[in-house]
Amino acid sequence: MTPTSYVVLGCLALAGPATPYGLKQTVAGSIGYFWSFPHSQLYSEPERLARAGLVTEQREDRGRRRRTYAITDAGLAALKAWVVTPTDELPQIRDIGMLKLYFGSIADGEQLAELARVRTDAHRRRRELYSEAAAGHDSGPGIRAGEALALRFGIAFEDASIAFWGSLAKGLND
Amino acid sequence: MTPTSYVVLGCLALAGPATPYGLKQTVAGSIGYFWSFPHSQLYSEPERLARAGLVTEQREDRGRRRRTYAITDAGLAALKAWVVTPTDELPQIRDIGMLKLYFGSIADGEQLAELARVRTDAHRRRRELYSEAAAGHDSGPGIRAGEALALRFGIAFEDASIAFWGSLAKGLND
DNA sequence: CCTATCATGTAATCCGTTACATGATTAT
DNA sequence: ATAATCATGTAACGGATTACATGATAGG
C-alpha cells in the first residue's frame, strides 16, 4: 500500500463510486494540489486495490466498457486504520528551485536573482489559486473540512515561500 | 537526467571526488534534509553519469575495490547549465500527515488531535535540528551559502508547520 | 574475543512516468 | 464537417525503494 493507494481509497470513500476518469477529476483541483500523479496511475492503482479486495470493479459489458470502482468494507476499514495511525514521518519537499539554489555557488548573483524572481512569481500564482479555491469552498462545510484545512496549510506554505524567495530576490538585487 | 543526477553532480562539484559512501555522508546532514534517497541510489546513479561522460570512475584494483567518482568538465558544464536555467515548476510536498488530515472526516476529533500533536512534535524536533545545523554553520561562509539559505527556508517551513499543526491540536482539544 | 555498528555493495521488485492511441463530444 | 478537446485506456521503460549480504573497525 502506497500513499497513492490511500488517495484512491479516500476519494472513493468521500465521493462514492467512480471511474478512473472520475477519480482524475476528483483528484485534480483538490488533493492533487498536494499529492499529484499522472492519470495512468488511476487506472493501475484501482486494479491493484481490486486484487487486494479493497475495492470492487464493475465493467460495462458494452459500449466503452468503462470501469467503475467502489470501496468495499475491507477498503474502508483499511483506510480508517491508516488515517487513525499518527505518522511522525516528516514531509518531503521536492523543490527543484531549492536544489538549484543549494548548488548556486557555481552561478553568479544575477542568475540567482532571476531564479528568485521566477520562483516568487510562481508561488504568488499558486497562492492565488489556493485562496480562490478556499473562498469558493466556504459554502460546503462538514465533509470537506479536510480540504479546507489542506488549503489553509497550502496558503501558509506559499506565504513562507513568497517571503523567502522575495527577500532573496531583493537581497541579490545590486 | 533526474534531480538525483544533479544532486550527485553538485556534491562532486562542491566537495570534490568521492566514493558512494562519501556521497552518502555528504548528502546526509545537508541537502539530504530536503532531497533524500536511499544509499543504493548513490551506487547506481554515478554509474549512469559515468556512462554519460559526466563523471569519471576510478576503482581500486585491490582490497575492497572501492570506486571513486570525480566530476568531468562536461559534468560541470551540465550542472552549471541546469543551475542557471530558472524553473517555475512548483515544489511537491509529499506529506503523509496532510493526506491523513485530508481524509480525516472518517476519523473522530480526538484521533485527529492526536495526529496534530504528533506532527507538531515532529516538526519541532526538525526545527531544532535545522537551527543547530544553521548555528554550526556560521563559521564557513562562501562556498556553503546555498546550504545556509536552504536551512533558512527549512526553518521557515518548520515554523509554518508548527503553527499549523499546533493551532489544529489546540482547536481540536475539547 | 565477541558483538555491534560502520562501511560497502548487489539484486529484484514495483511504482511512477512517459509515450502512445483512439473513441466521444462540443464548438466553429 | 472538421477541428479541437474531452474522455478513456494500454504499454514500456527506468528510477527508486526494499531487501539481502558481507567485509572492516571499535568497544566491551
Side-chain angles (χ1 to χ4, degrees):
Chain A
M1 298 288 286
T2 72
T4 305
S5 317
Y6 292 109
V7 170
V8 170
L9 284 180
C11 289
L12 291 176
L14 291 190
T19 66
Y21 191 76
L23 286 171
K24 183 188 161 194
Q25 303 287 79
T26 303
V27 165
S30 65
I31 185 65
Y33 290 137
F34 305 100
W35 206 295
S36 73
F37 33 77
H39 77 280
S40 65
Q41 284 282 112
L42 296 173
Y43 289 85
S44 51
E45 187 59 39
E47 230 174 273
R48 280 195 278 272
L49 295 174
R51 277 201 299 276
L54 303 178
V55 306
T56 58
E57 173 183 325
Q58 193 196 348
R59 193 154 188 181
E60 291 175 346
D61 46 307
R62 47 175 58 236
R64 298 213 232 166
R65 313 210 63 231
R66 267 175 296 197
R67 300 164 187 143
T68 300
Y69 294 96
I71 194 167
T72 64
D73 288 347
L76 202 56
L79 177 63
K80 232 171 234 174
W82 175 77
V83 167
V84 152
T85 311
T87 332
D88 64 351
E89 194 183 339
L90 285 163
Q92 297 248 337
I93 308 179
R94 302 258 143 157
D95 189 340
I96 305 271
M98 194 59 57
L99 264 194
K100 292 189 178 186
L101 180 63
Y102 190 90
F103 297 117
S105 49
I106 67 170
D108 65 46
E110 174 47 35
Q111 290 164 330
L112 290 180
E114 174 62 13
L115 173 65
R117 280 191 294 270
V118 168
R119 303 251 89 205
T120 308
D121 286 352
H123 281 289
R124 266 199 242 277
R125 280 195 299 277
R126 178 53 65 121
R127 205 224 116 101
E128 268 314 294
L129 206 92
Y130 286 167
S131 45
E132 277 162 23
H137 231 296
D138 286 342
S139 27
I143 274 289
R144 294 279 181 242
E147 190 162 342
L149 287 172
L151 283 171
R152 201 202 302 169
F153 179 74
I155 289 173
F157 174 75
E158 296 306 326
D159 282 340
S161 302
I162 292 166
F164 176 77
W165 290 106
S167 87
L168 194 61
K170 207 186 290 180
L172 287 169
N173 246 0
D174 308 5
Chain B
M1 297 289 283
T2 72
T4 306
S5 316
Y6 293 107
V7 170
V8 169
L9 284 181
C11 289
L12 291 177
L14 290 190
T19 66
Y21 191 77
L23 285 171
K24 183 188 161 192
Q25 304 286 80
T26 303
V27 166
S30 65
I31 185 66
Y33 291 136
F34 305 100
W35 205 293
S36 73
F37 34 80
H39 76 279
S40 64
Q41 285 281 113
L42 296 172
Y43 289 85
S44 49
E45 187 59 40
E47 230 173 90
R48 281 194 279 273
L49 294 173
R51 277 201 300 274
L54 303 178
V55 305
T56 58
E57 172 181 327
Q58 192 196 350
R59 192 154 189 179
E60 290 175 346
D61 46 307
R62 47 177 57 237
R64 299 215 232 165
R65 313 211 59 231
R66 266 176 297 199
R67 299 164 187 140
T68 300
Y69 293 96
I71 194 167
T72 64
D73 289 346
L76 202 56
L79 177 63
K80 229 171 236 174
W82 174 77
V83 167
V84 151
T85 310
T87 331
D88 64 350
E89 193 184 340
L90 285 162
Q92 298 248 339
I93 309 176
R94 303 258 141 154
D95 187 341
I96 305 271
M98 193 59 58
L99 262 194
K100 293 189 178 187
L101 181 63
Y102 190 90
F103 296 118
S105 49
I106 67 169
D108 64 46
E110 175 45 37
Q111 288 166 331
L112 290 180
E114 175 62 13
L115 173 65
R117 281 192 293 270
V118 168
R119 305 251 88 204
T120 308
D121 286 352
H123 281 290
R124 267 199 242 278
R125 281 196 299 275
R126 178 55 64 120
R127 205 223 117 101
E128 266 316 292
L129 205 92
Y130 286 167
S131 46
E132 277 162 24
H137 230 295
D138 286 342
S139 26
I143 274 289
R144 293 280 181 240
E147 190 161 346
L149 287 172
L151 284 172
R152 198 198 308 167
F153 178 75
I155 290 173
F157 174 75
E158 296 306 326
D159 282 339
S161 301
I162 293 165
F164 176 78
W165 290 105
S167 86
L168 194 60
K170 208 185 291 180
L172 288 169
N173 246 0
D174 311 0

